[in-house]
Amino acid sequence: MRAIFTRLFIAAIFTAFFVQCEAQAQTCNGALGDPVIDQDFGAGANPGPPLPQGTTTMQYVTSSCPNDGQYTILNALVDSNNCHPYTWFNVPTDHTGNKNGYMMLVNASYEPSIFFTDVANGLCPNTTYEFSAYILNLNYISLITANYSQPNITFTIEGATGGGILATDTTGTIQPTTYNQGPVWVKYGVFFTTPADVSSIRLVMTNNAPGGNGNDFMMDDITFRACGPIIQDGFSSVAGVKSTRLCQGGNATYVLKTQVVGDNTPVFQWQASSSTSPWTDIPGATADSLVVPFTNAQPNVYQYRLGVANGSSISNVGCRVYSTPLTVTVNPLPVVPPFPDQTICESYPLQLTATGGTSYTWTGPGISPTSQNPLVINNATPANDGIYTVVAVSDSGCTGPPVSVKVKVIPKVVAAIKDT
């Protein structure tokens, strides 16, 4: 037990140094396009299937504890202590948090080597792209020795059919974290520009560190996305809000404004989507602003974004970069279930309870408007006979239609003595 505490104390000292020296990833500072290539390894039950032939020189195994020179595809690593106690993190989900999403677990070969290659087709010529991948150092600092190694990966982008090397970059040492910090996914990447005659590239990943003691990692979400200029946008102005809301049945007109920074001759195409439909070009919407009218708005989440050509024709969606989506959320009106007619006797309590909203306003005979819900009249009188109406307001501030209930108050029976 003392040895374990000593190792954790040493780990804490080393962590302070490691955090200060962590390398920065190359990522796009401007607008990004939709992923042209998105290798997320799929989803399903454990273990996942092996990678296509030629993708890696490592040996595929179905075990969640591969040995040096082996890999596996998992949606979670939850039993690491069975094979690497005090060394590997448990990783409950992939990078996106998808409990069924697969990720690649690599137990590095003893010698530095190429461990992953892939070809990306359908890229646009004369276009700048961001390649990125998320990597997690699987080892937490449990035992520091002279030969303890950490992942260090070089990414090389080259033309698949010529063009030579387009870009290369190295992650540097991917530092471990402590057990208390937990596993950390880090985005790494590199930029490259396709020549006029290149639409396919080859990605080569080289592990620069030896395996054996350490150098075990997870990898997920390998993507290629067009990278372009900064696009500023907002409602009414580029400094305006990014989202607004409207109530069902409402009418409104919004003006969406954009500004492209770093491109003197941009070409535009607006797109729209909703929670029930994918991104689709809006015919004729090719200016830097867009007028969006709503008449009798129906509940949904509506989004709008500006696509900008990035080195090729605007008609090719794979070559575009996009602004941050601007969102109009149309919230439904609260629905109060109908009430059956009520009949009570005079002096009895009257109680009316509305549901379907977060606040209510009751009106009716013999009472002032009130937010009390349930509405309670302890001693009903004939003056309380009549129609009661409630209006509900939802948590999004939308006011529903009035709902009424008829109340009949039966007067007391008064006994009378008749002289004979």
Side-chain angles (χ1 to χ4, degrees):
M1 180 66 69
R2 178 178 297 177
I4 294 174
F5 286 147
T6 301
R7 291 198 297 269
L8 292 176
F9 176 75
I10 295 172
I13 296 174
F14 273 77
T15 299
F17 171 77
F18 286 148
V19 171
Q20 293 174 11
C21 298
E22 184 174 349
Q24 299 297 314
Q26 289 190 31
T27 55
C28 183
N29 293 321
L32 285 167
D34 291 336
V36 179
I37 305 295
D38 189 0
Q39 168 60 283
D40 62 2
F41 301 105
N46 275 339
L51 298 176
Q53 187 174 2
T55 302
T56 181
T57 57
M58 305 187 72
Q59 179 187 2
Y60 169 77
V61 294
T62 58
S63 168
S64 60
C65 292
N67 294 316
D68 293 279
Q70 297 178 337
Y71 81 98
T72 191
I73 304 295
L74 300 174
N75 64 26
L77 176 61
V78 296
D79 57 354
S80 63
N81 282 336
N82 292 332
C83 52
H84 294 283
Y86 308 115
T87 304
W88 281 11
F89 284 108
N90 282 331
V91 183
T93 67
D94 73 355
H95 155 251
T96 64
N98 180 356
K99 65 180 182 180
N100 293 316
Y102 287 138
M103 46 198 164
M104 182 181 183
L105 190 164
V106 175
N107 191 331
S109 301
Y110 284 104
E111 298 297 329
S113 60
I114 294 173
F115 72 94
F116 186 90
T117 61
D118 200 6
V119 174
N121 298 307
L123 276 65
C124 300
N126 299 317
T127 301
T128 299
Y129 284 92
E130 176 200 80
F131 153 76
S132 66
Y134 283 86
I135 299 175
L136 179 155
N137 188 337
L138 197 54
N139 300 103
Y140 61 88
I141 307 172
S142 60
L143 181 63
I144 302 298
T145 63
N147 63 345
Y148 193 89
S149 61
Q150 309 291 352
N152 185 316
I153 299 169
T154 294
F155 307 119
T156 302
I157 310 292
E158 57 188 31
T161 56
I165 294 177
L166 305 180
T168 185
D169 193 46
T170 300
T171 64
T173 299
I174 300 176
Q175 304 293 353
T177 53
T178 66
Y179 181 82
N180 288 336
Q181 287 175 292
V184 176
W185 288 100
V186 180
K187 180 181 178 181
Y188 292 93
V190 63
F191 298 109
F192 64 96
T193 300
T194 52
D197 58 347
V198 171
S199 59
S200 298
I201 61 92
R202 177 178 289 104
L203 165 66
V204 179
M205 295 189 185
T206 304
N207 199 332
N208 301 314
N213 188 14
N215 197 10
D216 310 304
F217 58 94
M218 293 279 203
M219 185 166 67
D220 197 13
D221 291 315
I222 301 169
T223 62
F224 291 87
R225 306 173 72 182
C227 173
I230 295 172
I231 307 175
Q232 302 170 335
D233 62 354
F235 284 85
S236 300
S237 75
V238 297
V241 298
K242 307 299 181 185
S243 64
T244 190
R245 64 186 186 182
L246 187 63
C247 292
Q248 179 181 358
N251 302 319
T253 298
Y254 301 106
V255 180
L256 313 184
K257 294 285 190 178
T258 63
Q259 177 177 304
V260 177
V261 179
D263 187 341
N264 295 326
T265 57
V267 180
F268 304 130
Q269 176 60 62
W270 283 93
Q271 288 191 324
S273 76
S274 72
S275 55
T276 56
S277 61
W279 287 109
T280 305
D281 288 354
I282 303 173
T286 57
D288 61 354
S289 63
L290 180 69
V291 177
V292 180
F294 281 85
T295 302
N296 189 24
Q298 296 305 301
N300 212 322
V301 177
Y302 302 90
Q303 292 193 304
Y304 305 88
R305 66 180 183 178
L306 180 69
V308 177
N310 188 42
S312 296
S313 170
I314 191 68
S315 61
N316 190 332
V317 295
C319 307
R320 300 178 191 170
V321 295
Y322 293 100
S323 63
T324 302
L326 300 176
T327 304
V328 178
T329 301
V330 180
N331 294 302
L333 302 182
V335 177
V336 176
F339 298 90
D341 291 347
Q342 305 286 311
T343 301
I344 62 170
C345 294
E346 182 181 355
S347 79
Y348 277 69
L350 169 64
Q351 178 171 313
L352 301 172
T353 303
T355 60
T358 55
S359 64
Y360 307 87
T361 300
W362 282 97
T363 56
I367 64 169
S368 300
T370 177
S371 60
Q372 181 189 94
N373 188 63
L375 172 66
V376 178
I377 300 174
N378 289 317
N379 296 290
T381 70
N384 300 124
D385 188 287
I387 302 297
Y388 290 80
T389 300
V390 64
V391 174
V393 179
S394 69
D395 57 359
S396 58
C398 294
T399 301
V403 177
S404 297
V405 55
K406 183 178 181 180
V407 174
K408 177 65 177 176
V409 179
I410 301 174
K412 292 179 179 179
V413 177
V414 180
I417 299 175
K418 184 177 181 181
D419 294 332
T420 59

